[in-house]
Amino acid sequence: MTCSLLLTNCLFCGLAALFLLPLLKHPKILTYRKGFPVIITIILILTKMLIPYEFSFTSTLASKKILPLINAVVNFNLYRNITIGELFLYAWLFIAILLLGFNSLKHRKLIKILSIVPTTNNITITQLLSELYKQNKVKHKPKVVQLNINTGPFIAGLLNPTIVLPSQLSSSETKFVLLHEFEHFKHRHILIKACIEIVTAIYWWNPVIWILRKEVNQALEMQADANVIQGLSKKDGLSYLDTLIKVSKNIHEKHNANLALSFTLKRNMVAYRVNTALKFDFKENDKKLTLFQICPLILSTVLLLSSFIFTFESYHITPLNVEGTFTVNHKSDYFLLRKDNLYDLYIDDKHIATIHTIPEDLSKLLIHK
């Protein structure tokens, strides 16, 4: 993997993410087709970031100014043949491994604690879960526990998800919180959360990834809110939002794990979710997206596909090497076959050289007899 390929991949994926960000703020888009168009685009962007591979069909685009300048900086010798590029690479790997290890240890610690907590036997929760399992035809059921501590509701665990509910909530509040966390479980949000955390840890130096991380986390919560409210009456919908505010006000986050999805998150985000839900008509009949909403998604997809099709490479020729060289245009330049079986090469209708055989890199030129 070259520096040029890495930068090209970051450029296209970063632009694709930026065009996608405005769509992550609209509940209508997050609930359209169960949010599949937006979610699958996010997953593809994250996957391409993790695998910056150059395919056989990838075309190379010459960069004559930016990449040569970057290469000059990257290859600048700092001390005893240690370049700026090598120093950055060592720092990149060290911090990435540190972040990945730290997040993994926190997650394992949390899962280990939750594994010894018994499954709740609360009748209200058990009955509601039974209905949800039946409605959604769930086979792999999550573990649901209640903790009598000052912690917010959340879901954690990649292979065996565990839903954690505070025991001090009322029956109606427990119902709303459980419905929200079940949406995370049903749509496998925890896997998307894990993927974005891995990409963020690896590309810790990329500000676009941190912005995408924040917006994706917010979008996952908003999608869960929207899906829950769509199935409630207007009165119950307002009660749900009231529960969101109450839980956020009275409970502080202490589970401290990046690979967990929390019901409350930060208070400023809770206010944003409540205001968004109040403005959005979850019962509207029009399920179609507008052109204004489709265009950013199309642009994001095009940029993402461009990361597979194109890659920039540094193109720089010193003045000494330019002398005596020429550029071939396969559409207008040609060979003229002479009677003595030699070939005259014409560039811009000017005779350049006479050769015995045509080299492979010029085999696409036309041959006139």
Side-chain angles (χ1 to χ4, degrees), residues 156-202:
L158 298 177
L159 300 178
N160 299 297
T162 300
I163 297 176
V164 179
L165 305 174
S167 58
Q168 63 266 36
L169 298 179
S170 66
S171 297
S172 61
E173 291 169 346
T174 300
K175 173 187 173 182
F176 292 140
V177 170
L178 182 57
L179 287 173
H180 177 95
E181 299 303 335
F182 188 80
E183 286 296 324
H184 285 315
F185 166 78
K186 183 171 68 174
H187 295 286
R188 302 182 184 275
H189 287 172
I190 198 69
L191 295 178
I192 301 173
K193 171 73 172 176
C195 191
I196 189 68
E197 290 297 336
I198 292 172
V199 174
T200 304
I202 294 175

Side-chain angles (χ1 to χ4, degrees), residues 153-368:
F154 64 94
I155 181 172
L158 298 177
L159 300 178
N160 299 297
T162 300
I163 297 176
V164 179
L165 305 174
S167 58
Q168 63 266 36
L169 298 179
S170 66
S171 297
S172 61
E173 291 169 346
T174 300
K175 173 187 173 182
F176 292 140
V177 170
L178 182 57
L179 287 173
H180 177 95
E181 299 303 335
F182 188 80
E183 286 296 324
H184 285 315
F185 166 78
K186 183 171 68 174
H187 295 286
R188 302 182 184 275
H189 287 172
I190 198 69
L191 295 178
I192 301 173
K193 171 73 172 176
C195 191
I196 189 68
E197 290 297 336
I198 292 172
V199 174
T200 304
I202 294 175
Y203 289 93
W204 53 266
W205 47 268
N206 191 335
V208 176
I209 297 301
W210 287 95
I211 297 173
L212 180 63
R213 174 181 180 265
K214 176 185 175 183
E215 295 298 329
V216 168
N217 287 339
Q218 182 171 286
L220 295 179
E221 296 301 328
M222 286 177 57
Q223 187 185 48
D225 289 337
N227 289 334
V228 172
I229 294 176
Q230 278 184 326
L232 300 175
S233 64
K234 187 174 182 179
K235 181 180 178 181
D236 286 341
L238 293 175
S239 298
Y240 171 85
L241 297 178
D242 184 60
T243 299
L244 179 59
I245 296 172
K246 181 180 177 181
V247 173
S248 174
K249 182 178 180 180
N250 297 332
I251 296 177
H252 303 284
E253 295 302 321
K254 291 186 178 180
H255 51 81
N256 193 29
N258 287 346
L259 296 181
L261 281 167
S262 173
F263 179 72
T264 53
L265 290 181
K266 296 181 180 180
R267 293 190 182 182
N268 58 344
M269 181 176 168
V270 171
Y272 178 80
R273 286 162 59 189
V274 171
N275 289 331
T276 303
L278 290 174
K279 294 177 183 178
F280 181 69
D281 182 8
F282 292 95
K283 304 300 181 181
E284 60 184 355
N285 295 321
D286 184 13
K287 299 295 182 180
K288 295 182 180 179
L289 298 181
T290 64
L291 183 62
F292 177 77
Q293 295 166 336
I294 293 175
C295 283
L297 184 60
I298 294 175
L299 288 173
S300 180
T301 304
V302 169
L303 287 166
L304 179 60
L305 292 176
S306 298
S307 69
F308 291 90
I309 301 173
F310 302 108
T311 183
F312 289 100
E313 288 292 344
S314 177
Y315 179 84
H316 178 68
I317 302 177
T318 61
L320 292 176
N321 292 331
V322 171
E323 186 177 353
T325 64
F326 54 84
T327 302
V328 177
N329 188 330
H330 291 84
K331 295 182 179 180
S332 59
D333 302 331
Y334 58 92
F335 283 107
L336 181 62
L337 179 60
R338 299 179 3 168
K339 294 182 178 180
D340 54 2
N341 290 328
L342 296 178
Y343 296 92
D344 290 332
L345 174 62
Y346 284 83
I347 305 294
D348 294 331
D349 290 327
K350 294 181 180 180
H351 180 263
I352 301 297
T354 301
I355 57 179
H356 292 82
T357 57
I358 300 176
E360 185 178 352
D361 54 350
L362 298 178
S363 60
K364 293 183 179 180
L365 290 181
L366 294 175
I367 301 176
H368 297 297

